[in-house]
Amino acid sequence: LVNESIDTITDVTIAEGATKIPKKNLFDHFKNIAKIDLPGSLEIIDSEAFAFTSIASIYIPSIIASIGEGVFMLCTNLKAVV
């Protein structure tokens, strides 16, 4: 039942005030995510944070100080990182 609910999620919004997206596995089971909205407060995106998702495009705020390795690993639908 939980997997069926996860499979229907295509858009994710990270709340304003968040400063870090943790290392891998945060979106590990969310294979159908196509869009992720990041807050202007975000400073760190750890390694493999979005790996293996179906994300097509993403806007990364200019305040970002650190982006880890493999953040978009095997994101085969990714067309744009702005």
Side-chain angles (χ1 to χ4, degrees):
L1 180 64
V2 172
N3 286 339
E4 289 178 29
S5 298
I6 288 173
D7 288 343
T8 63
I9 296 172
T10 58
D11 295 359
V12 172
T13 299
I14 307 296
E16 188 62 44
T19 58
K20 180 179 180 179
I21 295 180
K23 188 180 270 189
K24 60 183 161 182
N25 299 329
L26 180 63
F27 299 105
D28 193 35
H29 296 286
F30 296 82
K31 304 297 182 202
N32 294 318
I33 292 177
K35 181 181 176 194
I36 299 174
D37 292 321
L38 301 176
S41 58
L42 195 65
E43 298 174 5
I44 299 168
I45 301 174
D46 271 344
S47 301
E48 301 178 26
F50 306 120
F52 306 104
T53 64
S54 295
I55 190 170
S57 66
I58 189 167
Y59 168 78
I60 297 179
S62 60
I63 195 172
I64 294 289
S66 175
I67 297 177
E69 291 184 30
V71 168
F72 302 110
M73 181 172 58
L74 296 174
C75 291
T76 57
N77 293 331
L78 187 62
K79 305 272 189 276
V81 177
V82 182

